[in-house]
Amino acid sequence: MATYFIGDIQGCYDELQAILSKVDFTPSRDELWIVGDMVARGEKSLETLRFIRSLDNAAKPVLGNHDLHLLALHHKIKRVNPSDKLGTLLSAPDCQQLIDWLREQPLIRENHKHKVLMSHAGIPPQWDKETALTQAQAVHQALSAPDYASQLITNMYGNQVDAWDETLDDQARLIYTINALTRMRYLHSDGRLDFDCKLAPQSNDNPELTPWFSIPHELTDQYTLVFGHWAALMGQVDSPKYQALDTGCCWGQHLTLWHLESNEKITQNKLKKS
C-alpha cells in the first residue's frame, strides 16, 4: 500500500490522471489524500469530482474554500463567476449527488499511523489538536444538517471573524474555523488572520504579516502538517514538518503528489490543450 497526498487539483482532471499513472495508483491498494479545492479554475471540475467520488474509501479529501463556494453556487447564494468554470458541473444530472457527497467530507483528516494532519489552508498555531479536531467536526456537523445552506453557507462569507477567542458564540466559531482552515495564509502580529496578501513570503515587505507556518506550532512536535491553498509558495516552506502541496497547476504550473512512505514528490506539468 502506498499513501499519496496531492495538492489543489482545481478541475485539472487530465493532469490528475497523468500524475496518478506515473505512480501506478491503484485504488484497491493505495490511498489518495486530497488537500481540498478539487474544483474551479480548471476545465474539468465535473470529471474531477466524479472520479474522486468513484474512488470510494481510497480517496481521503478535505474541503477547500472553492469546494465550499461550490455549495453556495449550487444554492444560488452566490452568482457563478465564469472564471470558475463550474457551469458544466452545476448543470450535470448528477450534480445533487456530487453536492451531497461533498458535504460529507471533513475539513481536517488525521493519518494516525504516520502522524499527519491535513487541512486545506493549514491549522492556526494557537490551536492544539483537540481544538482543531473539535472545531472541524462542528463544521462537519453543520454541513450535514438539512438546513446547512441557510444556517452555514449563507453566513460563512466575510472577514469579520478573524481572531480565535474561546468566548466566541457557536456561529462565530464556525465562521472562524472555515476562515482558518480554508483561507489562512498570513497572520498579523496579534494572531488575526489576514485575508488580503497572497504573495510568497520572499515577496512580502509588510513586517506586520507572518506566514502561519513560520510561527511555532505545538502540533509539529508530533505531527507533519499537510496543506495547499497557497500557490505562490510553490511548495517551499521553512520546515520538514510542513508539506505545502499547491503548486499552481490551474495557473499553468504543475500538480504535486507527495509519496509519504518514501518522502518523494512527483510532479505533473500543466498539459497543453490539444
Side-chain angles (χ1 to χ4, degrees):
M1 173 184 162
T3 310
Y4 298 101
F5 289 75
I6 194 163
D8 301 36
I9 301 166
Q10 293 225 354
C12 295
Y13 175 77
D14 295 338
E15 291 79 6
L16 172 62
Q17 293 301 319
I19 202 169
L20 293 180
S21 294
K22 286 183 178 182
V23 297
D24 189 28
F25 176 79
T26 305
S28 62
R29 177 192 66 204
D30 305 325
E31 288 183 348
L32 184 65
W33 291 61
I34 303 160
V35 82
D37 276 6
M38 293 168 273
V39 302
R41 308 301 188 194
E43 301 289 340
K44 297 183 178 180
S45 291
L46 174 60
E47 292 87 344
T48 298
L49 272 196
R50 283 174 173 169
F51 172 72
I52 294 172
R53 183 176 179 235
S54 76
L55 295 178
D56 199 18
N57 291 331
K60 309 290 184 185
V62 294
L63 297 177
N65 53 301
H66 282 288
D67 306 314
L68 290 171
H69 188 61
L70 173 62
L71 301 180
L73 296 177
H74 175 67
H75 287 282
K76 297 180 172 57
I77 295 167
K78 289 289 184 176
R79 292 183 179 181
V80 176
N81 185 336
S83 66
D84 285 335
K85 302 174 183 176
L86 291 171
T88 301
L89 194 165
L90 289 166
S91 62
D94 55 344
C95 179
Q96 186 61 59
Q97 290 93 325
L98 294 170
I99 292 294
D100 290 342
W101 172 82
L102 203 61
R103 288 172 55 203
E104 296 172 0
Q105 308 314 313
L107 265 64
I108 294 179
R109 284 189 185 268
E110 178 180 4
N111 186 305
H112 297 273
K113 178 180 178 181
H114 295 284
K115 294 289 186 179
V116 173
L117 290 170
M118 178 181 71
S119 62
H120 179 60
I123 298 177
Q126 62 266 46
W127 277 4
D128 57 19
K129 177 185 167 184
E130 180 180 1
T131 302
L133 294 181
T134 298
Q135 288 307 122
Q137 179 61 23
V139 174
H140 180 67
Q141 290 176 344
L143 283 171
S144 301
D147 58 353
Y148 81 99
S150 60
Q151 295 301 309
L152 180 65
I153 302 300
T154 299
N155 298 310
M156 74 177 180
Y157 288 93
N159 300 338
Q160 291 77 19
V161 188
D162 60 358
W164 176 250
D165 189 321
E166 293 289 349
T167 65
L168 291 173
D169 62 34
D170 290 345
Q171 183 75 359
R173 282 172 172 254
L174 293 176
I175 295 170
Y176 176 82
T177 300
I178 289 172
N179 284 340
L181 296 183
T182 72
R183 299 177 64 197
M184 179 173 63
R185 292 187 180 94
Y186 286 101
L187 300 181
H188 291 273
S189 57
D190 59 2
R192 289 181 298 112
L193 300 167
D194 174 78
F195 298 108
D196 297 321
C197 187
K198 300 180 181 181
L199 297 172
Q202 62 270 23
S203 301
N204 171 45
D205 59 3
N206 185 349
E208 167 69 14
L209 300 180
T210 302
W212 71 269
F213 53 80
S214 293
I215 299 171
H217 205 314
E218 71 173 57
L219 283 175
T220 59
D221 292 341
Q222 298 184 51
Y223 291 88
T224 298
L225 305 186
V226 177
F227 66 101
H229 183 59
W230 198 345
L233 294 177
M234 289 303 291
Q236 301 302 308
V237 290
D238 52 13
S239 168
K241 298 298 291 185
Y242 300 91
Q243 291 289 339
L245 298 181
D246 182 5
T247 47
C249 186
C250 69
W251 305 114
Q253 298 299 319
H254 57 267
L255 202 57
T256 294
L257 193 70
W258 176 46
H259 181 213
L260 187 151
E261 285 82 5
S262 68
N263 195 29
E264 177 187 5
K265 285 185 177 176
I266 301 97
T267 61
Q268 171 60 52
N269 289 337
K270 177 71 175 174
L271 298 171
K272 294 181 180 179
K273 294 182 181 179
S274 55

